[in-house]
Amino acid sequence: MEHKEKITAKEGRVSHLPEKAPVDASGKEVLLSLKNVDITFGKGDNAVRAVKNASFDIYKGETFSLVGESGSGKTTIGRAVIRVTPCAAGEIYYKGVRISGKIPHSLDREVIRNIQMVFQDPLASFNPKMKIVDILTEPLINFGKLKKSEKEAKARELLEMVELPGDFVDRYPHNMSGGQRQRISIAQALITNPGFIIADEPVSALDVTIQAQIMELLQKLQEEMNLSYLFISHDIN
């Protein structure tokens, strides 16, 4: 009950995220919290309830796995967390602040910086006409946090973090392998220095050997950057 009160007390009044998340009875920080979330597509007789009464907490530094068959609403939940898909009922909290529904513009921008998503098919989410240097640095430039003269150095830094050569900055997505593109997708998610990453089937389209390498990279980044993950998968293994 104490945990719930700490969260709801801030509802509707907060325009910025706090430095730390609220703690539960065990003393752990509750970074993300879903409370009785329903997500519906369509209206009236054509309405389809994709998610019904979803509730769970994710702690800081934790990897929380959301596993289920295709079409069970896993990705829909992830898209609701990043505010792409609205909730029909229930609420989503990040660091104890409600981030679902209508929120102040300043809070929305902080949510974008703090929560990032790694997609199953990075090629579909990349602009094929953009070089890797531009794909990686565009978010920071849009936020006014990076000068154009600094973008190549920043892109090379990110490539090093995901264990790719710096000269990949001049490549295009179609010139890279599936595993390399997924590393670029991870690097792109890291550009805003987030605390929470949603990994939506990040290895399902890769060969088994490459899957293991990407999983090891995600674990390494988690330890180095104190990241928390919502890991979405249809594969229980």
Side-chain angles (χ1 to χ4, degrees):
M1 179 60 70
E2 179 184 2
H3 165 53
K4 184 177 180 181
E5 289 174 351
K6 285 183 178 179
I7 286 180
T8 56
K10 294 182 177 181
E11 181 182 346
R13 297 190 294 110
V14 178
S15 57
H16 297 283
L17 293 170
E19 184 177 346
K20 290 189 176 182
V23 297
D24 66 0
S26 68
K28 295 191 295 184
E29 290 186 48
V30 184
L31 194 63
L32 183 81
S33 194
L34 270 71
K35 303 293 182 184
N36 309 114
V37 168
D38 289 358
I39 301 172
T40 303
F41 295 108
K43 296 182 179 179
D45 295 338
N46 296 321
V48 176
R49 181 174 288 181
V51 176
K52 180 180 179 181
N53 199 31
S55 297
F56 55 81
D57 293 334
I58 301 179
Y59 296 101
K60 185 175 181 180
E62 177 185 31
T63 297
F64 184 97
S65 296
L66 189 59
V67 184
E69 62 186 15
S70 297
S72 60
K74 306 182 303 297
T75 295
T76 300
I77 288 176
R79 291 171 65 86
V81 173
I82 61 172
R83 295 179 48 75
V84 172
T85 300
C87 299
E91 293 164 333
I92 301 174
Y93 296 90
Y94 184 74
K95 288 189 173 183
V97 177
R98 180 177 59 81
I99 62 170
S100 55
K102 186 176 181 180
I103 62 175
H105 177 68
S106 57
L107 179 58
D108 184 52
R109 288 176 64 85
E110 288 196 19
V111 171
I112 293 171
R113 290 197 297 268
N114 277 267
I115 304 177
Q116 289 288 315
M117 196 163 186
V118 175
F119 298 94
Q120 177 180 4
D121 181 10
L123 191 59
S125 63
F126 293 157
N127 184 336
K129 297 181 180 180
M130 293 176 65
K131 291 184 177 181
I132 298 304
V133 61
D134 298 310
I135 289 173
L136 290 179
T137 58
E138 185 181 37
L140 277 190
I141 291 176
N142 289 343
F143 274 107
K145 301 293 184 179
L146 187 72
K147 297 177 181 178
K148 291 185 177 181
S149 59
E150 302 169 336
K151 66 180 187 178
E152 181 171 338
K154 184 62 178 179
R156 287 178 177 271
E157 176 188 334
L158 288 165
L159 288 172
E160 183 178 345
M161 291 172 66
V162 296
E163 301 171 355
L164 287 176
D167 58 7
F168 273 32
V169 291
D170 291 322
R171 292 196 180 191
Y172 291 92
H174 64 270
N175 296 135
M176 309 175 75
S177 69
Q180 290 170 341
R181 286 195 292 265
Q182 195 55 280
R183 289 174 186 268
I184 295 297
S185 183
I186 294 169
Q188 185 184 43
L190 297 175
I191 185 68
T192 58
N193 194 28
F196 187 80
I197 289 179
I198 302 167
D200 184 12
E201 301 274 11
V203 298
S204 62
L206 305 175
D207 293 339
V208 174
T209 303
I210 306 302
Q211 286 183 7
Q213 293 175 3
I214 296 299
M215 293 296 290
E216 289 174 3
L217 174 63
L218 288 169
Q219 184 174 2
K220 174 189 171 186
L221 291 169
Q222 183 177 42
E223 294 170 354
E224 292 177 350
M225 303 179 67
N226 195 24
L227 294 169
S228 304
Y229 293 137
L230 170 57
F231 196 94
I232 296 171
S233 178
H234 69 273
D235 184 354
I236 192 69
N237 293 319

